[in-house]
Amino acid sequence: MRQFSTHQLLSLLDKHGPPCISLYQYTHRHHPDSLQDPIRYRNLLREMEGSLRQKYEKREVRSLLEKFQPLSHDGEFWNHRTDGLAMLAAPDMFEVFELQRPVQENLIVADTFYLKPLLRVSQSADRYQLLCLSRDRAQLYEGNRDALDPVELIDTPSTLTEALGTELTDQHRSVRSAAGQTPIYHGVGQKKEEVDRDRDRFFRAVDRGVMEHHSKPTGLPLMLVALKEYHTPFRNLSRNPHLLSMGVDVDPGAIGLDELRKLAWEQMEPLYLERLALLVREFEIAKAHDLGYDDLAEVAGAAVAGRVENLLVEADRQIPGRVDPHTGRIERGVLNDPEVGDVLSDLAGLVLRMKGQVVIVPRQRMPTDTGVAATCRF
């Protein structure tokens, strides 16, 4: 799965020449349900062509469609889907993102990207990462309450030999053990301390790579999954501020992904609920001191002025229209208008640009009925 960060989201908020095409599709992980996905995709492309032809010349329409069409009959692509798919295209770019939760099928052709589903992916409070670790192997996963998927490691070793290469001690090269049994060390001068030294060097390399290339870009909490004997050595040397104090004491290679997700969510859910409750309390206190807003116009004005510190946005709600990024004026519209996006998406983008925090919240945990709750700095 391709890792998605707030930095990438901010780059999508940069101005791109219209038309900005945002295609979202519900997809399926398993056969035979996945067979319908390319068919639905081709239907969306026909809808896209019709929307583009309302305003753009045939040559421009053809150029934009050519970005999407190669995937229409790409069997390998459609056989390896997650729960949702996002495709964003403009004359100067084309991006594809896999989503870990289903999305409403949607096609919007406007002068800005419709980013709310991606905002939910990148800003949801239930996201986390798992570092599955053994003495000589590492694998990173990203998940939420519903899904868990492997993440391709960036500049981070996945095996001990990849980390140490020819620097691996002769003592460690001589270790032999059956699966699940205690390693046997043999040969002159071969000690467990030497093998542990290699293990610690591997752990340091993994910790450094995960921190720099995964934890820092995403800001996600990181949970360690490993046999109990490896938790203390790894925590003693880790410098990752996102590493949680709790973890899962299990051999990650001995259980399936769904069981691993359930064990992780048992640990994460209390933190998730605590974080949401704290954000709601902060909003309520701010509102009592005239620093909390749930009126769309007031939130828009505060966002443009850079006053919003935290913005809670209702997860599955859309308010057709757009927000002027200079004045904060809200212009209402209808969603099938090719130049109209979503007011909530625009507000979230404004807050992120001004270094505020955006959190996408399920409807049942929103403290307001307007779709937004903003806590202001001043």
Side-chain angles (χ1 to χ4, degrees), residues 77-331:
F77 176 82
W78 293 107
N79 285 336
H80 297 86
R81 295 295 89 225
T82 51
D83 302 297
L85 179 67
M87 294 185 180
L88 305 180
D92 61 341
M93 57 85 69
F94 180 68
E95 296 278 359
V96 179
F97 300 96
E98 295 173 289
L99 311 181
Q100 284 187 300
R101 45 174 38 108
V103 290
Q104 181 180 354
E105 191 169 273
N106 217 333
L107 173 66
I108 297 177
V109 181
D111 54 2
T112 59
F113 289 120
Y114 173 59
L115 297 177
K116 183 115 170 295
L118 285 181
L119 278 165
R120 186 176 186 187
V121 170
S122 67
Q123 308 301 121
S124 285
D126 65 345
R127 291 175 70 208
Y128 61 88
Q129 290 187 333
L130 296 183
L131 176 58
C132 294
L133 194 65
S134 68
R135 180 185 289 273
D136 58 5
R137 290 190 178 276
Q139 173 64 63
L140 189 67
Y141 292 87
E142 186 171 313
N144 54 44
R145 70 173 73 194
D146 302 313
L148 186 67
D149 292 288
V151 173
E152 183 179 352
L153 288 170
I154 301 171
D155 293 335
T156 304
S158 60
T159 66
L160 184 143
T161 52
E162 186 181 330
L164 305 186
T166 57
E167 297 181 17
L168 191 65
T169 65
D170 290 338
Q171 288 86 345
H172 203 146
R173 294 178 191 277
S174 301
V175 174
R176 291 190 297 180
S177 66
Q181 297 181 0
T182 303
I184 300 171
Y185 305 93
H186 55 90
V188 179
Q190 293 168 357
K191 300 178 181 179
K192 179 178 181 298
E193 289 79 4
E194 296 290 342
V195 178
D196 286 348
R197 190 173 299 124
D198 283 343
R199 176 205 64 196
D200 288 350
R201 292 164 66 201
F202 172 53
F203 284 3
R204 283 192 183 89
V206 170
D207 180 67
R208 184 167 53 249
V210 169
M211 179 174 66
E212 291 297 326
H213 302 290
H214 298 279
S215 293
K216 282 185 178 179
T218 64
L220 295 178
L222 178 69
M223 186 183 300
L224 180 62
V225 180
L227 290 172
K228 189 173 183 179
E229 65 196 84
Y230 298 134
H231 279 257
T232 298
F234 184 80
R235 293 180 186 281
N236 285 344
L237 59 83
S238 176
R239 299 293 179 266
N240 193 332
H242 299 278
L243 181 64
L244 298 172
S245 58
M246 86 274 279
V248 179
D249 298 336
V250 68
D251 178 1
I255 60 175
L257 269 187
D258 193 54
E259 185 179 356
L260 182 59
R261 178 191 59 80
K262 290 177 182 177
L263 290 172
W265 186 243
E266 286 176 5
Q267 302 270 25
M268 286 300 306
E269 186 174 25
L271 292 180
Y272 162 73
L273 295 176
E274 181 182 347
R275 183 189 178 199
L276 286 187
L278 177 61
L279 290 168
V280 169
R281 283 198 302 272
E282 288 177 348
F283 166 73
E284 291 170 345
I285 292 170
K287 190 173 183 180
H289 292 83
D290 295 323
L291 288 173
Y293 304 121
D294 58 5
D295 178 79
L296 287 174
E298 289 182 317
V299 173
V304 169
R307 296 174 54 213
V308 178
E309 182 174 11
N310 293 319
L311 180 68
L312 307 184
V313 180
E314 188 175 319
D316 296 314
R317 188 164 181 173
Q318 288 178 277
I319 300 178
R322 56 188 172 189
V323 180
D324 187 303
H326 305 292
T327 66
R329 179 177 175 272
I330 296 175
E331 180 183 336

Side-chain angles (χ1 to χ4, degrees), residues 348-367:
L350 283 170
V351 171
L352 287 174
R353 283 195 186 98
M354 295 294 185
K355 310 301 181 184
Q357 176 184 227
V358 176
V359 181
I360 308 300
V361 179
R363 180 183 59 80
Q364 63 271 24
R365 301 209 175 266
M366 279 292 295

